[in-house]
């Protein structure tokens, strides 16, 4: 039976065994894979429904009506590719290569499917994205402290006693990691603003107010230092700026931290003492760092594992293999103009993007400030091509739509940003559409490009990537996965040590220590927009149709506005407004409301990103600030 790899934008990157039975796909978790461990999450178990979905695109489409109207005519592949090539050639000639932008992200994380199309756009010297939408602020923050965002191999949890899930709903978004911690008998704590499913399943839950993560972490550091609970030998040998940090946290009042965070002083002290005694490791989530305070918060949290003697005692990213060969930046003849992902609408408004090629992404659900982005596409001269499995919201606004296939229909490999395994993905069947690499080759031929790197087969690219990384194709074929060995590593900081006093941060104009700032908006309620259990950003809404469009609001805030459970409400700010059903919940603290993110507008009529802020955090790599959005709510 073929091996498959779940290519979703998910920590777990499960290895699967797949087969066709009477024409229907069957999948199960690979029992030999140490992290997948023979089971799939609820989304993974439903993959056959996604694969066989009736609404999969089957033929190319060319727009005939207004953007977003859904008016297209069906055409053959030859006509569609010819039109795309003609428009691409015309744009290059009239406006130059930088007016062409390839917009892609991690909707499919197969190494070939993700990277190979970039070869064509690098060859054309087109603009590319600067990816700030997901984990950028936290990456920059961890580099400030450790010189890397790559932390602990999760299989090392077997040697630990305590894991703290800080700002991550792991039971929904990292189920295999959560179960790994459970199997190894770790004590589980959660720090979060909302009482999530992970919080409910944890041994302890610390509910803090938004943006106060930095204060809580610094207060924990203060107690550990002042009570002499830190690993003195480790800190002396491996930390730069400990004494300066000591002086910095001395000025911090625990009473002040208590008022700001909502945690009492005794709770803060107990956390610190037991975290130090149990040498806790921290899985730092992505959600809370998507805010104006997020980078500073991650910097503060990152100090704690080092204080108790861990070289890399955090889990955040896991970049194990060099995939650059698949992308082919070496084909460029001039440096790339990189456009911040969150500023797509702005660049379209300024007339700097004339040709937009979208794959592996659905920006008309996933980007913030959707009303602005949709206006930009309606009012400006930009030719849009989308290559996707379904007629997404982005596809509806496109001039040409090309049907994509699924990862069950092609050869690829996938690494993980959680664990150290690379998984094999073999074709099981072929239903509809073409892969990203197939379309890239078709476009290259239509543009009469002769460069051989644009015509390499998927297997050739995979074999080369594996060879570069010292991995065995034969072992991968036999087992369906292979582990990337961890080599000895040091901290890539200016001092060569873990930097509590961050020189790298100072170079960007930041304080050498994390700073707490209060952020307030024009509207009274802080809007949080996390992912829902049965979707991955916008994926699976149309196929599983398991969504939760309700607004969750604290009973005190609801009472103040005369809102009862089940009432229809309008949620609004200067970006937009939506109508939905209110659900009263004590899991959401006062002055905070919650909407799950990025459901399909064509199906629901709105999504949370009609309300979210498109600000970026410039000193943290233009990271996104979705969760620094404020709204108000009224009954209608």
């Amino acid at each position: 039976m073929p091996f498959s790899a779940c290519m979703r934008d998910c920590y777990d990157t499960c290895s699967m065994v797949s087969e066709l039975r009477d024409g229907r796909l069957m999948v199960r978790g690979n029992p030999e894979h140490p992290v997948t461990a023979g089971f799939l999450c609820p989304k993974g178990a439903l993959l056959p429904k996604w694969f066989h979905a009736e609404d999969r695109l089957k033929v190319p489409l060319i727009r005939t009506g207004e953007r977003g109207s859904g008016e297209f005519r069906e055409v053959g592949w030859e006509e569609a590719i010819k039109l795309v090539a003609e428009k691409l050639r015309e744009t290059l000639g009239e406006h130059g290569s930088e007016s062409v932008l390839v917009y892609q992200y991690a909707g499919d994380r197969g190494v070939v499917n993700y990277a190979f199309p970039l070869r064509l756009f690098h060859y054309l010297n087109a603009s590319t994205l600067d990816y700030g939408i997901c984990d950028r602020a936290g990456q920059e923050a961890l580099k400030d402290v450790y010189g890397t965002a790559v932390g602990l191999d999760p299989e090392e949890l077997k040697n630990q006693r305590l894991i703290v899930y800080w700002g991550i709903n792991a039971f929904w978004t990292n189920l295999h990691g959560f179960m790994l911690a459970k199997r190894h008998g770790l004590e589980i704590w959660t720090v979060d603003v909302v009482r999530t499913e992970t919080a409910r399943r944890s041994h302890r839950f610390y509910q803090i107010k938004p943006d106060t993560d930095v204060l809580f972490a610094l207060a924990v550091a203060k107690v550990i230092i002042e009570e002499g609970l830190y690993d003195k030998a480790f800190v002396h040998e491996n930390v730069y700026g400990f004494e300066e940090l000591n002086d910095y946290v001395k000025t911090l009042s625990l009473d002040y931290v208590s008022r700001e965070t909502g945690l009492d002083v005794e709770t803060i002290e107990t956390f610190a003492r037991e975290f130090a005694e149990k040498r806790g490791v921290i899985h730092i989530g992505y959600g809370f760092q998507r805010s104006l305070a997020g980078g500073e918060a991650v910097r503060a949290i990152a100090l704690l594992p080092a204080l108790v003697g861990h070289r890399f005692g955090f889990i955040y990213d896991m970049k194990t293999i060099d995939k650059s060969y698949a992308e082919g930046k070496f084909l460029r003849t001039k440096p790339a103009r990189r456009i911040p992902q969150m500023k797509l609408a702005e660049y379209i408004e300024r007339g700097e993007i004339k040709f937009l090629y979208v794959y592996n992404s659905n920006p008309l659900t996933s980007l913030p400030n959707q009303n602005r982005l949709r206006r930009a596409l309606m009012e400006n001269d930009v030719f849009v091509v989308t290559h996707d499995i379904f007629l997404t919201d982005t596809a509806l606004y496109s001039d040409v739509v090309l049907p994509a296939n699924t990862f069950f229909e092609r050869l690829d490999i996938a690494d993980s940003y959680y664990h150290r395994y690379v998984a094999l993905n073999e074709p099981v069947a072929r239903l509809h559409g073409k892969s990203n690499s197939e379309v890239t080759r078709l476009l290259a031929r239509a543009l009469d490009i002769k460069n051989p790197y644009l015509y390499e087969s998927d297997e050739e690219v995979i074999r080369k990537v594996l060879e570069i990384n010292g991995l065995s194709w034969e072992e991968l074929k036999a087992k369906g996965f292979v582990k990337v060995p961890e080599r000895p590593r040091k901290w890539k900081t200016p001092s060569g040590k873990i930097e509590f006093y961050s020189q790298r941060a100072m170079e960007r104009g930041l304080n050498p220590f994390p700073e707490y700032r209060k952020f307030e908006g024009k509207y009274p309620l802080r809007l949080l927009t996390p992912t829902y259990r049965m979707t991955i950003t916008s994926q699976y809404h149309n196929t599983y149709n398991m969504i939760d469009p309700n607004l969750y609001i604290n009973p005190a805030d609801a009472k103040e506005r005369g809102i009862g459970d089940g009432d229809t409400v309008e949620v609004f700010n200067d970006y937009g407004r939506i109508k939905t059903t209110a659900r009263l919940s004590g899991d959401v603290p006062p002055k905070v409301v919650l909407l799950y993110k990025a459901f399909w507008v064509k199906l629901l009529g709105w999504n949370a990103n009609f309300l979210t802020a498109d600000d970026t955090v410039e000193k943290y790599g233009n990271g996104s600030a979705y969760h620094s959005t404020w709204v108000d709510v009224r009954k209608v």
Side-chain angles (χ1 to χ4, degrees):
M1 290 183 286
F3 291 112
S4 299
C6 184
M7 300 292 186
R8 296 286 74 93
D9 189 6
C10 168
Y11 289 100
D12 299 17
T13 313
C14 288
S15 174
M16 302 181 292
V17 180
S18 305
E19 62 177 317
L20 282 185
R21 290 185 195 167
D22 300 322
R24 301 296 295 180
L25 178 69
M26 309 292 288
V27 298
R28 59 187 174 92
N30 188 340
E32 304 301 321
H33 192 283
V35 178
T36 304
F39 74 96
L40 299 175
C41 75
K43 296 183 288 288
L46 287 172
L47 279 169
K49 185 175 183 180
W50 171 75
F51 175 71
H52 291 290
E54 287 298 321
D55 59 338
R56 283 186 59 178
L57 289 168
K58 299 172 179 65
V59 295
L61 305 172
I62 293 177
R63 181 169 63 88
T64 57
E66 187 179 72
R67 289 196 195 279
S69 67
E71 296 175 16
F72 295 93
R73 65 181 177 92
E74 296 183 353
V75 299
W77 275 97
E78 184 176 353
E79 181 179 350
I81 292 294
K82 181 180 178 183
L83 175 59
V84 174
E86 286 175 352
K87 288 292 184 179
L88 186 50
R89 190 181 288 112
E90 177 185 305
T91 304
L92 291 166
E94 293 183 7
H95 303 285
S97 62
E98 290 188 342
S99 68
V100 174
L101 174 65
V102 53
Y103 188 107
Q104 46 80 242
Y105 202 56
D108 187 304
R109 295 189 60 258
V111 169
V112 176
N113 215 49
Y114 178 92
F116 190 87
L118 294 172
R119 288 188 173 192
L120 173 62
F121 293 95
H122 284 314
Y123 178 88
L124 297 173
N125 291 312
S127 294
T128 59
L129 281 184
D130 185 12
Y131 310 111
I133 197 170
C134 183
D135 57 350
R136 174 58 63 77
Q139 282 188 357
E140 296 300 319
L142 287 163
K143 289 175 185 175
D144 287 339
V145 181
Y146 293 91
T148 179
V150 175
L152 186 77
D153 179 346
E155 288 188 273
E156 289 301 310
L157 291 177
K158 64 188 177 188
N159 299 317
Q160 309 301 324
R161 297 170 59 191
L162 167 68
I163 186 168
V164 181
Y165 287 114
W166 200 309
I168 173 176
N169 188 3
F171 190 77
W172 280 13
T173 62
N174 179 216
L175 179 59
H176 290 82
F178 185 86
M179 297 310 296
L180 190 67
K182 295 279 282 187
R183 285 202 303 275
H184 291 314
L186 274 73
E187 189 171 341
I188 298 173
W189 300 353
T190 292
V191 180
D192 213 318
V193 171
V194 175
R195 186 183 299 274
T196 62
E197 187 63 30
T198 303
R200 278 190 280 271
R201 292 171 181 267
S202 298
H203 296 96
R204 295 187 194 173
F205 172 46
Y206 299 85
Q207 188 168 27
I208 61 174
K209 296 176 184 177
D211 294 341
T212 64
D213 310 75
V214 61
L215 267 186
F216 182 30
L218 288 174
V220 170
K222 174 186 175 73
V223 175
I224 290 173
I225 293 169
E226 291 184 351
E227 296 190 4
L229 304 175
Y230 62 95
D231 187 325
K232 298 174 182 62
F234 180 86
V235 167
H236 176 74
E237 175 105 15
N238 301 297
V239 167
Y240 175 86
F242 172 76
E243 293 300 335
E244 290 85 349
L245 176 68
N246 185 16
D247 292 339
Y248 183 64
V249 296
K250 277 180 182 175
T251 65
L252 192 62
S253 161
L254 292 187
D255 289 330
Y256 171 72
V257 174
S258 176
R259 289 193 299 273
E260 293 296 295
T261 62
L263 300 174
D264 60 53
V265 171
E266 183 181 354
T267 297
I268 296 168
E269 291 174 334
T270 301
F271 183 108
R273 290 164 186 155
E274 295 197 25
F275 180 84
E277 189 264 324
K278 294 167 184 174
R279 295 188 72 242
V281 298
I282 303 177
H283 190 150
I284 303 171
Y286 292 161
F288 72 93
Q289 57 89 56
R290 297 177 192 139
S291 70
L292 297 174
E296 296 292 281
V298 173
R299 261 214 294 163
I301 295 163
L303 307 176
L304 303 181
L307 272 176
V308 300
H310 288 293
R311 294 174 55 79
F312 298 97
F314 62 90
I315 294 173
Y316 192 74
D317 279 344
M318 183 61 70
K319 291 178 172 59
T320 54
I321 62 171
D322 178 358
K323 297 174 276 192
S324 59
Y325 178 78
E327 179 178 337
K329 285 184 183 178
F330 52 81
L331 294 171
R332 301 193 75 92
T333 56
K334 65 178 184 180
R337 180 177 73 158
R338 300 184 70 199
I339 292 176
Q341 195 167 10
M342 312 302 292
K343 296 183 180 295
L344 177 62
E346 179 182 325
Y347 278 77
I348 292 173
E349 289 166 351
R350 297 204 307 246
E352 295 188 35
I353 298 171
K354 295 296 185 182
F355 186 103
L356 180 64
Y357 186 90
V358 181
Y359 73 96
N360 280 6
S361 190
N362 188 7
L364 266 74
T365 59
S366 59
L367 281 178
N369 198 352
Q370 279 291 315
N371 286 315
R372 179 184 184 184
L373 178 58
R374 287 157 190 259
R375 280 195 305 271
L377 286 171
M378 293 292 289
E379 296 173 1
N380 292 273
D381 177 25
V382 55
F383 191 84
V384 183
V385 180
T386 294
H387 184 203
D388 209 308
I389 301 166
F390 301 102
L391 191 65
T392 62
D393 288 297
T394 303
L396 281 176
Y397 275 69
S398 300
D399 297 281
V400 178
V401 181
L402 304 173
N405 63 15
T406 69
F407 52 79
F408 291 108
E409 297 164 273
R410 55 180 171 78
L411 180 68
D412 214 332
I413 58 173
D415 66 341
S416 167
Y417 52 86
Y418 173 68
H419 56 69
R420 300 192 64 83
Y421 290 94
V422 173
L424 175 65
N425 184 79
E426 299 174 299
V428 182
R430 185 92 188 215
L431 292 187
H432 313 294
K434 298 183 185 296
S435 72
N436 292 337
S437 58
E438 287 178 294
V439 170
T440 302
R441 295 180 193 105
L442 289 174
L443 281 172
R445 288 192 186 95
L447 291 166
D448 199 29
I449 299 171
K450 308 299 184 186
N451 192 293
Y453 285 108
L454 298 178
Y455 302 99
E456 278 190 308
S457 70
D458 294 349
E459 183 173 331
E460 286 175 314
V461 175
I462 291 167
R463 282 177 172 268
K464 185 67 174 178
V465 169
L466 293 173
E467 178 188 335
I468 289 168
N469 288 279
L471 301 175
S472 167
W473 169 248
E474 288 70 28
E475 181 184 355
L476 186 61
K477 287 278 287 183
K479 293 175 56 181
F481 62 90
V482 61
K483 185 165 188 178
V484 182
E486 185 172 7
R487 295 173 176 81
R489 56 191 178 121
K490 290 287 288 182
W491 305 286
K492 298 176 183 177
T493 58
S495 65
K497 295 184 176 185
I498 300 170
E499 293 205 352
F500 287 1
Y501 185 100
S502 175
Q503 299 175 78
R504 183 177 183 270
M506 290 177 67
E507 289 172 0
R508 300 203 308 285
L510 296 168
N511 190 301
F513 302 111
E515 289 187 292
Y516 171 59
R517 286 180 57 199
K518 284 188 178 181
F519 293 95
E520 295 181 356
K522 177 179 175 181
Y523 293 87
L525 300 174
R526 184 72 169 266
L527 174 65
L528 303 181
T529 53
T531 194
Y532 184 57
R533 183 181 188 180
M534 292 306 296
T535 58
I536 298 181
T537 308
S538 70
Q539 290 179 321
Y540 302 138
H541 179 174
N542 63 314
T543 50
Y544 300 170
N545 201 27
M546 297 180 189
I547 65 168
D548 182 353
N550 297 302
L551 175 82
Y552 289 88
I553 184 170
N554 186 273
D557 294 319
K559 183 178 180 181
E560 185 180 321
R561 291 161 175 78
I563 295 169
D565 190 64
D567 284 347
T568 299
V569 294
E570 183 179 62
V571 190
F572 61 93
N573 61 14
D574 291 347
Y575 298 114
R577 55 194 62 233
I578 62 102
K579 288 183 181 178
T580 189
T581 302
R583 293 298 176 196
L584 276 56
S585 173
D587 292 339
V588 179
K591 306 303 179 185
V592 172
V593 292
L594 182 149
L595 282 170
Y596 291 110
K597 70 177 180 181
F599 299 137
W600 285 30
V601 178
K602 67 177 277 189
L603 299 179
L604 185 60
W606 57 270
N607 80 21
N609 286 324
F610 279 18
L611 302 165
T612 48
D614 56 0
D615 299 325
T616 61
V617 187
E618 291 185 8
K619 290 186 179 179
Y620 281 94
N622 279 312
S624 62
Y626 286 91
H627 299 301
S628 291
T629 295
W630 284 264
V631 299
D632 206 347
V633 182
R634 58 180 164 231
K635 182 177 176 179
V636 295

